[in-house]
Amino acid sequence: MAEEVKLFKTWSTPFGLRITWALQLKGISYEAIDEDLSNKSALLLQYNPVYKKVPVLVHNGKPISESIVILEYIDETWKQNPILPEDPLERANARFWAKFSDEKLIPSVWSAFTKEGKEREEAMDASLENLKFVEEELKGKKFFGGEKLGLADIVFGWLGNLLPIFEEVSGLKLLDDRFPSLLAWTKELSELPVVKYNWPPHDKMIIKYQALYEKFHPAK
Ligand SMILES: N[C@@H](CCC(=O)N[C@@H](CS)C(=O)NCC(=O)O)C(=O)O
């Protein structure tokens, strides 16, 4: 039976980009459906009634939500070009860092982008502290798991495209030469064809996040 793979996403979502990379790494053909999050489709609401968010992967009519869950599903379903290592300890490590990205680093960076005054300073400090942990983990390595792109790299991909947009729009600087290993990692990542050819357009991202920034920081 021919497989049917659909990916509900938006043009800009870093969470959806993870799935695009994974599907393309595996060489899976799929249909991409771009949602308008201000007017979510009935299908999206049907497929992800709990979170009502993208990305959603629909494989032969069955929906899977939450990007890290989807990545693991993809890896278990299509075995070629594995994104999780064989060794249980290494798998646990990849999952640990993926969780750290979404539960610690993203909230701190998001607060630095959206808050003002003392709250922003605290969020910047927290972000820098979190980035230091990542820097330590990447020391002496090309990717999180070693020589090859894996789960943690895919999950941290937003550091390669979204963080520079946040920095450009807000004037805040997080990723600089205090983090040489992280900078080298973003370069390695962005040179991979699967990554390079799928970045959302820079100018469009600036317009989107400039508008968002202004919403959080209205002119006084
Ligand atoms: N934890 C989710 C986060 C997904 C997420 O936040 N998606 C955003 C777009 S970037 C969304 O669909 N937001 C719609 C909403 O919050 O109503 C994942 O990893 O998939």
Side-chain angles (χ1 to χ4, degrees), residues 1-216:
M1 185 185 85
E3 297 210 86
E4 193 189 55
V5 182
K6 292 185 180 175
L7 172 60
F8 288 74
K9 62 177 191 68
T10 64
W11 67 269
S12 63
T13 171
F15 301 100
L17 204 52
R18 295 170 176 177
I19 314 308
T20 302
W21 293 351
L23 288 171
Q24 294 190 9
L25 268 177
K26 300 271 184 185
I28 306 302
S29 306
Y30 65 97
E31 181 191 347
I33 297 142
D34 273 349
E35 281 285 329
D36 168 4
L37 293 180
S38 63
N39 181 23
K40 295 173 186 170
S41 72
L43 270 182
L44 175 64
L45 300 176
Q46 176 195 324
Y47 286 141
N48 189 1
V50 177
Y51 294 110
K52 305 177 178 59
K53 289 184 179 189
V54 292
V56 176
L57 185 80
V58 186
H59 185 201
N60 295 333
K62 302 276 191 287
I64 305 112
S65 299
E66 286 295 299
S67 61
I68 298 177
V69 175
I70 301 172
L71 288 175
E72 294 219 25
Y73 175 84
I74 290 173
D75 210 35
E76 285 168 6
T77 303
W78 296 285
K79 305 285 183 199
Q80 63 274 27
N81 295 334
I83 56 178
L84 271 162
E86 280 286 319
D87 178 66
L89 190 59
E90 287 175 24
R91 289 168 86 85
N93 202 41
R95 289 179 174 128
F96 173 87
W97 286 109
K99 208 165 147 65
F100 180 84
S101 156
D102 287 14
E103 290 180 8
K104 291 280 279 185
L105 190 55
I106 289 184
S108 63
V109 169
W110 181 248
S111 291
F113 184 71
T114 55
K115 303 278 182 197
E116 295 190 315
K118 193 164 178 296
E119 279 184 309
R120 163 176 283 203
E121 275 168 39
E122 283 168 5
M124 281 297 279
D125 290 346
S127 302
L128 290 171
E129 198 180 316
N130 288 334
L131 284 171
K132 267 190 222 151
F133 288 122
V134 185
E135 172 70 17
E136 277 308 304
E137 177 60 21
L138 278 172
K139 224 165 236 168
K141 291 193 285 191
K142 191 166 162 186
F143 292 113
F144 279 84
E147 281 305 297
K148 235 171 80 290
L149 184 87
L151 180 87
D153 303 287
I154 295 174
V155 170
F156 274 107
W158 63 274
L159 284 178
N161 80 316
L162 191 54
L163 185 59
I165 303 284
F166 279 8
E167 290 180 331
E168 204 176 320
V169 166
S170 67
L172 299 171
K173 192 71 193 155
L174 282 166
L175 250 196
D176 54 21
D177 50 17
R178 289 170 289 187
F179 302 105
S181 307
L182 250 168
L183 283 178
W185 171 85
T186 54
K187 190 162 180 295
E188 289 289 353
L189 181 84
S190 54
E191 281 168 2
L192 294 173
V194 77
V195 173
K196 188 156 72 182
Y197 299 121
N198 286 304
W199 282 143
H202 177 267
D203 293 355
K204 221 172 146 192
M205 288 288 274
I206 292 288
I207 293 168
K208 175 186 158 93
Y209 282 97
Q210 184 72 48
L212 202 61
Y213 188 76
E214 281 163 17
K215 205 173 120 202
F216 283 106

